[in-house]
Amino acid sequence: MLSSTAAVSSKREITSFGELRRRAQLLGAKRVAIVVADDEVALTAADGALHLGFAAPVLIGDERKIRTLAEALGLHDLVARAEFVGTEDAATVAAQMARDGQVDLLLKGHLRTDELLHAVLDKRAGLRTGRLLSDVLLYEDTLAGERRLVGITDGGLNVSPNLEQKKQIVQNAIEVMRSLGGARPKIALMSATEAVSESVPSSVDARELTRMGESGQFGDATVFGPLALDCALLESAARAKGIEHPLAGHADCMVVPNIEAGNLLAKSAKYLGGSQCAHVVAGAKVPILIPSRVESADDKVNSIALGVIFASW
Ligand code: COD
């Protein structure tokens, strides 16, 4: 990944999935490895991102199966223009290609998340950087009256993070939000209450992370909590509870206490709130996309756009 303040971060903040895709288009096609590519939705998304101009798909796995499925789906242009890499061990080969700079990001196809992550985390051949890997999901939020992309982390990887792991989850979230053009991302530390209580461990961790933020450990970002959901996203709720903080009601990204909370919150935004989504795993040598099997091709195109932007940041 380029660690620069290149074009994307200097531009206006991205506030919708339409804009996310347009910004990815400006960056040109990145090489997207589809890991075990004989997957209908992943192939459809790869085709979509190819035609939108921000992906050069590299289809990895059983070449005969991939071609047969893609042709059956009518994706003839994808078959003609994609690169094929035939292998029985797609996850290992994809990680190797990413390490060697032959692909720019990975998208999970027809395999389990943990199978892909084990190849990514392989000590010798994987994509470790020494940092924690964590997933940041975006949804379109309209609670404050205008549309914007809000993050939720980590509902995908880290089951029950300790304080040190949460610190890295916050750092990854800041990077992802900066890649969207947020100059000083506002990171909310989520709990069930705004009061710190020893009997609610997430509130104690939130207080420690807030102190770290105040002492400058997270650089140019506002990190604050504990906050409950209403006070993180609604200024009126924060005001009603007397919380005087510039972040309250305006969170750009919510750091949840554990995977269950993140998973429930993200799926609520999607299924109860009706938003599309996009998500990316940060902390590895390249962005990794681990969409769930039920996410639509549109969601996966959004995730590819996010991965392209994050890879270019
Ligand atoms: N970042 C960096 N390194 C990690 C991480 C991480 N998030 N998680 C584990 N590691 C390293 C450890 O330091 C260790 O060296 C090695 O990987 C193995 O760690 P274990 O034994 O703790 O973990 P595993 O091998 O049992 O599993 C690691 C997974 C990331 C695969 C696991 O945590 C997992 O399956 N997470 C949930 C993924 C998932 O299914 N999500 C979808 C549902 S929401």
Side-chain angles (χ1 to χ4, degrees):
M1 233 176 292
L2 301 176
S3 185
S4 76
T5 49
V8 170
S9 60
S10 64
K11 286 194 184 131
R12 194 162 65 80
E13 196 166 343
I14 299 171
T15 56
S16 70
F17 288 121
E19 217 174 316
L20 188 85
R21 291 176 178 208
R22 285 191 291 280
R23 202 65 74 76
Q25 285 175 313
L26 295 177
L27 294 167
K30 292 269 175 285
R31 293 158 302 177
V32 182
I34 322 296
V35 188
V36 190
D38 56 302
D39 177 90
E40 179 173 335
V41 185
L43 281 175
T44 306
D47 182 67
L50 168 74
H51 285 101
L52 288 167
F54 52 78
V58 179
L59 308 179
I60 305 180
D62 181 327
E63 186 167 345
R64 191 185 50 77
K65 271 196 196 166
I66 300 168
R67 281 185 188 277
T68 306
L69 179 59
E71 293 290 1
L73 294 168
L75 306 174
H76 309 298
D77 200 34
L78 176 69
V79 173
R81 292 168 63 190
E83 183 187 335
F84 283 82
V85 177
T87 172
E88 284 178 3
D89 190 359
T92 303
V93 169
Q96 233 158 37
M97 290 181 76
R99 221 183 39 249
D100 297 344
Q102 294 170 284
V103 294
D104 301 304
L105 60 146
L106 309 185
L107 169 66
K108 178 174 84 101
H110 190 183
L111 81 169
R112 293 197 320 268
T113 301
D114 63 311
E115 290 173 320
L116 177 57
L117 290 175
H118 279 129
V120 165
L121 289 171
D122 185 275
K123 283 203 171 106
R124 197 181 48 80
L127 297 170
R128 287 178 184 241
T129 59
R131 294 170 44 190
L132 189 81
L133 272 57
S134 54
D135 188 68
V136 181
L137 178 137
L138 303 176
Y139 73 98
E140 278 181 354
D141 182 279
T142 52
L143 268 183
E146 58 182 29
R147 187 166 49 183
R148 63 197 190 98
L149 293 180
V150 171
I152 298 169
T153 185
D154 173 6
L157 240 87
N158 295 285
V159 177
S160 188
N162 59 28
L163 182 62
E164 174 53 33
Q165 289 168 325
K166 283 183 185 170
K167 185 179 167 190
Q168 296 190 45
I169 288 171
V170 169
Q171 277 160 338
N172 285 344
I174 291 169
E175 286 191 11
V176 172
M177 299 318 289
R178 282 220 186 102
S179 78
L180 302 177
R184 189 178 170 84
K186 295 188 275 301
I187 310 295
L189 307 162
M190 306 304 288
S191 186
T193 163
E194 283 71 39
V196 177
S197 159
E198 296 296 327
S199 60
V200 184
S202 60
S203 71
V204 177
D205 283 355
R207 179 185 59 196
E208 294 309 309
L209 292 162
T210 300
R211 284 182 182 153
M212 289 179 204
E214 286 164 353
S215 69
Q217 290 189 50
F218 295 118
D220 222 358
T222 305
V223 178
F224 177 71
L227 283 171
L229 183 71
D230 46 0
C231 294
L233 294 177
L234 270 176
E235 203 181 291
S236 56
R239 224 179 299 120
K241 283 202 185 167
I243 302 164
E244 301 273 339
H245 192 280
L247 182 147
H250 303 279
D252 293 318
C253 183
M254 297 181 277
V255 175
V256 298
N258 54 40
I259 198 168
E260 293 95 330
N263 201 278
L264 280 164
L265 185 53
K267 286 182 177 157
S268 303
K270 184 165 172 47
Y271 296 106
L272 306 181
S275 173
Q276 288 189 4
C277 70
H279 52 129
V280 64
V281 173
K285 284 198 174 121
V286 302
I288 299 158
L289 312 176
I290 52 165
S292 91
R293 269 163 296 179
V294 290
E295 279 173 35
S296 66
D298 265 337
D299 288 334
K300 289 184 187 180
V301 173
N302 292 338
S303 290
I304 295 172
L306 174 60
V308 164
I309 290 168
F310 192 53
S312 309
W313 183 68

